[in-house]
Amino acid sequence: MHIMEGFLPSPWWQIWWAISLPIVAYGIYKVAKLTKKMPEIKPLLALVGAFVFVISALKLPSVTGSSSHPTGTGFSSILFGPAITSAISVIVLTFQALLLAHGGITTLGANIFSMGIVGPAIAFAIWWLFKKTRLNPSIGVFVAVAAADLMTYITTAVQLGLAFPTNGSVFASFVTFFSIYAITQIPLAIAEGIIAVLLFNFLAKYKGSILQKLGVLKIPLTNTQNEADSQNAV
């Protein structure tokens, strides 16, 4: 997903920067507001940021000659929403570009838009819909995270199609780019969804009260969850 440094021509890298910056600025405002209101949320924010950094840095070789990786931002969006996730993403993507040569600075705006804005927005919308049903939350987490992963790569394919149309056809270029991703990204999206479910269930068990305060869960805490939170507080 990470478009490498210098790969996007003008004016496309500037356009994606211009679109992403206001959203990231709003996300930073939301982070400051949330941490002021709930100081106890800072360790969870750091944990999710580390999760996004590690999982999105795992570049796996693709049979098509490209590479693919999970994103982690769908899970972040379920917990904190898409705005805060965009702020987390800009930190993650900047460090990856500078320390791992994964992505780039000129292409940072485009990478933020796909991984830190569109994917999280899709995850949040799906999770919001699932919360209105009586289905098991694990199903919602899986669908939201898997869809966010796939939508991230669809968005990247659109970005590359716009920048490099095939014989003047953006759609033909999009199909070419996404077909390269799809072979490995579909099973990766499924795997990321499963990982997210395991992590979500862990947090629901041991940090259920925090998830309730965030509005992620609206179900009563069990005695086990209350006891776990009390022990953690001590």
Side-chain angles (χ1 to χ4, degrees), residues 80-163:
F80 301 114
I84 289 178
T85 299
S86 72
I88 292 174
S89 297
V90 72
I91 297 172
V92 167
L93 290 168
T94 299
F95 274 97
Q96 288 178 346
L98 295 176
L99 301 179
L100 305 178
H102 193 24
I105 299 302
T106 60
T107 57
L108 185 60
N111 293 331
I112 291 170
F113 185 77
S114 59
M115 189 177 110
I117 296 175
V118 175
I122 294 297
F124 184 79
I126 292 174
W127 176 244
W128 181 82
L129 290 173
F130 263 88
K131 283 201 300 182
K132 295 183 176 297
T133 71
R134 295 185 178 182
L135 295 174
N136 189 313
S138 295
I139 299 175
V141 171
F142 175 83
V143 174
V145 170
D149 183 297
L150 287 175
M151 187 54 64
T152 295
Y153 280 83
I154 290 173
T155 303
T156 301
V158 170
Q159 291 172 322
L160 294 173
L162 288 168

Side-chain angles (χ1 to χ4, degrees), residues 187-232:
L188 269 179
I190 295 172
E192 184 177 350
I194 294 172
I195 293 172
V197 169
L198 295 175
L199 185 54
F200 181 86
N201 289 338
F202 176 84
L203 291 176
K205 182 177 181 180
Y206 294 102
K207 293 295 180 181
S209 59
I210 290 181
L211 297 189
Q212 281 191 317
K213 289 179 181 179
L214 288 170
V216 178
L217 290 177
K218 293 185 178 181
I219 58 175
L221 293 174
T222 64
N223 291 333
T224 302
Q225 290 170 334
N226 277 316
E227 291 173 2
D229 284 339
S230 298
Q231 292 174 358
N232 290 330

